Amino acid sequence: RERLGPAMRTLRPLRRGEASWERYWRAVIHASTGCEDEAVFDQLYAHYAQAEAWRVATGAISGIDLARAQGTRVAVISNWDDRLRPLLCDLGLESRLDAVVVSGEEAVEKPDREIFLRTASRLAVAPNCSVMFGDNPKNDVEGAVNVGADAFCFGRDFSGFEEFFAAVI
């Protein structure tokens, strides 16, 4: 557990140029566990590609549905690999979203301005007319603010999706 976060940060350059991020995840697993067994990597990589490995945060679905019912466009911007889109579909989220922008597919990651500009374009909104709610102060909040968006941090500005959507919508 103590080695996972540092390994993910240190090895981040390995994500470039590969939508699946397999090379990155392989290196992260090795660095954080000391294990180079291909079967372990294969099992972990497959496990985290399944909806059963994840949970949707309380209030996320009802908040998204409420926002969209009121005419607000909703997107997910994620620093993740190409397994995210099928995961969102399996979790019942993709059909509720107006756009899904995945860094592994885009070859650009938050906090780079470009990923926020692409998302605003796909939503057909000006960046300064958008709101970002994320869990990372640097990648999500600073990145969004750098394109003129309002931005809030999960756990710091709002305790969760229910509180966020109640305040913003």
Side-chain angles (χ1 to χ4, degrees), residues 75-97:
V76 165
I77 309 171
S78 183
N79 284 354
W80 198 252
D81 60 58
D82 62 0
R83 296 173 297 164
L84 182 61
R85 194 176 300 279
L87 272 172
L88 292 175
C89 184
D90 291 346
L91 290 167
L93 289 168
E94 187 177 37
S95 63
R96 291 179 152 89
L97 301 167

Side-chain angles (χ1 to χ4, degrees), residues 1 49 55 74 116:
R1 181 183 293 166
R55 67 174 182 78
V74 179
F116 293 96

Side-chain angles (χ1 to χ4, degrees), residues 2-127:
E2 292 131 14
R3 293 185 297 239
L4 180 62
M8 290 176 71
R9 285 186 295 279
T10 302
L11 297 165
R12 189 173 177 169
L14 294 177
R15 301 195 293 212
R16 291 189 193 113
E18 184 181 50
S20 70
W21 290 10
E22 280 191 50
R23 185 175 42 148
Y24 166 75
W25 288 122
R26 193 176 307 280
V28 166
I29 290 167
H30 171 66
S32 60
T33 68
C35 178
E36 292 189 47
D37 185 335
E38 289 296 312
V40 171
F41 168 77
D42 292 342
Q43 288 177 342
L44 285 169
Y45 193 77
H47 173 73
Y48 287 105
Q50 298 174 22
E52 296 78 31
W54 304 95
R55 67 174 182 78
V56 178
T58 303
I61 291 175
S62 60
I64 291 167
D65 290 348
L66 175 63
R68 292 193 69 215
Q70 294 185 10
T72 301
R73 294 181 194 100
V74 179
V76 165
I77 309 171
S78 183
N79 284 354
W80 198 252
D81 60 58
D82 62 0
R83 296 173 297 164
L84 182 61
R85 194 176 300 279
L87 272 172
L88 292 175
C89 184
D90 291 346
L91 290 167
L93 289 168
E94 187 177 37
S95 63
R96 291 179 152 89
L97 301 167
D98 297 291
V100 176
V101 182
V102 184
S103 64
E105 298 171 354
E106 299 290 324
V108 63
E109 293 187 29
K110 299 179 291 180
D112 190 304
R113 295 172 44 87
E114 183 59 30
I115 200 163
F116 293 96
L117 295 173
R118 289 179 192 180
T119 304
S121 175
R122 289 177 193 165
L123 293 174
V125 299

